[in-house]
Amino acid sequence: SYELTQPPSVSVSPGQTARITCSGDALPKQYAYWYQQKAGQAPVLVISKDSERPSGIPERFSGSSSGTTVTLTISGVQAEDEADYYCQSADSSGTYQYVFGTGTKVTVL
Amino acid sequence: QVTLRESGPALVKPTQTLTLTCTFSGFSLSTSGMCVSWIRQPPGKALEWLALIDWDDDKYYNTSLKTRLTISKDTSKNQVVLTMTNMDPVDTATYYCARTLFEQQLDRTWVDYGMDVWGPGTTVTVSS
């Protein structure tokens, strides 16, 4: 089955830049989406279609894509950015379905 | 304002069938481009997409769970229902519904904008 692989954890000091990668064979052909999930809360969409920021999402969140890897970048990390982050994409190789990444815990030191 | 809310039993026994309802407002599932997805998250684990139903009543399922899942909609009630048969303790999780938004492009293709609004989730425990 199709998998999206993320690093389990990323640690960053306040004001620094956090980069979270997501790797998957179909990412050159399918858009990726990023979700932020704070403890005890539902996920929130922070990046759509590889690099688009939905309304209300701070400018410090950005997304990029290169080959089989997409990257979520948080510039000028703030304490409130500490959360789990999940990438998500589609698998159209067989029956169309969505897939979530393995998740990355971002810790603000 | 778009809102969604999940409802259903907090506890089910092994082998039983789980029925969850997503009640939403602020959009209509009869409008082109509107979809609702179900997603679950076992305690301490990653998100897992389960199923999606679109405005045209097309249905898509996680292939590894397809034989156990059924998704349906009641447009007049603004509700989407997910049933999962033969429940097992490994199905213990928080279950979420989320609006998934598609937009038609100038070339008439449809582009996915992602799961833009989520419900708060409902916790389901499978135990005898």
Side-chain angles (χ1 to χ4, degrees):
Chain A
S1 63
Y2 183 49
E3 294 182 349
L4 296 173
T5 302
Q6 301 178 232
S9 62
V10 167
S11 297
V12 59
S13 299
Q16 299 303 302
T17 297
R19 294 182 179 85
I20 307 164
T21 58
C22 171
S23 298
D25 289 341
L27 288 176
K29 296 175 289 187
Q30 296 287 345
Y31 283 124
Y33 308 82
W34 288 95
Y35 301 87
Q36 175 195 66
Q37 186 180 32
K38 296 183 179 179
Q41 298 183 20
V44 173
L45 178 66
V46 295
I47 293 292
S48 173
K49 293 172 59 188
D50 290 349
S51 60
E52 293 188 6
R53 203 171 44 249
S55 174
I57 301 302
E59 290 185 6
R60 63 180 181 275
F61 289 89
S62 63
S64 61
S65 175
S66 178
T68 58
T69 299
V70 294
T71 302
L72 173 68
T73 301
I74 312 172
S75 305
V77 166
Q78 301 182 6
E80 66 197 51
D81 300 329
E82 184 161 292
D84 293 323
Y85 291 83
Y86 294 91
C87 61
Q88 175 253 312
S89 188
D91 176 15
S92 58
S93 60
T95 305
Y96 189 87
Q97 63 177 340
Y98 286 153
V99 178
F100 281 97
T102 50
T104 299
K105 169 69 176 178
V106 170
T107 300
V108 182
L109 301 172
Chain B
Q1 180 190 7
V2 172
T3 65
L4 303 95
R5 181 165 293 276
E6 308 84 354
S7 59
L11 179 66
V12 297
K13 290 180 166 49
T15 75
Q16 286 187 335
T17 294
L18 171 68
T19 299
L20 295 173
T21 300
C22 176
T23 303
F24 56 88
S25 63
F27 70 99
S28 172
L29 254 184
S30 61
T31 300
S32 296
M34 297 297 168
C35 312
V36 170
S37 288
W38 282 96
I39 306 97
R40 71 177 179 179
Q41 184 173 38
K45 295 191 176 182
L47 300 168
E48 180 180 32
W49 176 80
L50 298 176
L52 176 149
I53 190 164
D54 73 13
W55 67 97
D56 216 16
D57 208 33
D58 291 321
K59 300 155 188 175
Y60 302 87
Y61 296 99
N62 182 318
T63 54
S64 65
L65 294 166
K66 181 178 172 58
T67 59
R68 299 175 54 205
L69 297 173
T70 302
I71 192 170
S72 62
K73 65 183 174 80
D74 186 331
T75 304
S76 64
K77 293 183 179 178
N78 280 351
Q79 290 182 334
V80 171
V81 174
L82 180 76
T83 63
M84 180 180 289
T85 61
N86 194 25
M87 293 293 284
D88 183 273
V90 300
D91 298 313
T92 293
T94 297
Y95 287 75
Y96 298 98
C97 62
R99 184 179 75 165
T100 304
L101 186 62
F102 280 74
E103 288 191 2
Q104 194 169 33
Q105 307 302 289
L106 292 175
D107 62 0
R108 302 188 68 78
T109 60
W110 289 92
V111 173
D112 183 352
Y113 275 75
M115 302 176 207
D116 65 336
V117 185
W118 293 60
T122 186
T123 300
V124 178
T125 300
V126 184
S127 175
S128 54

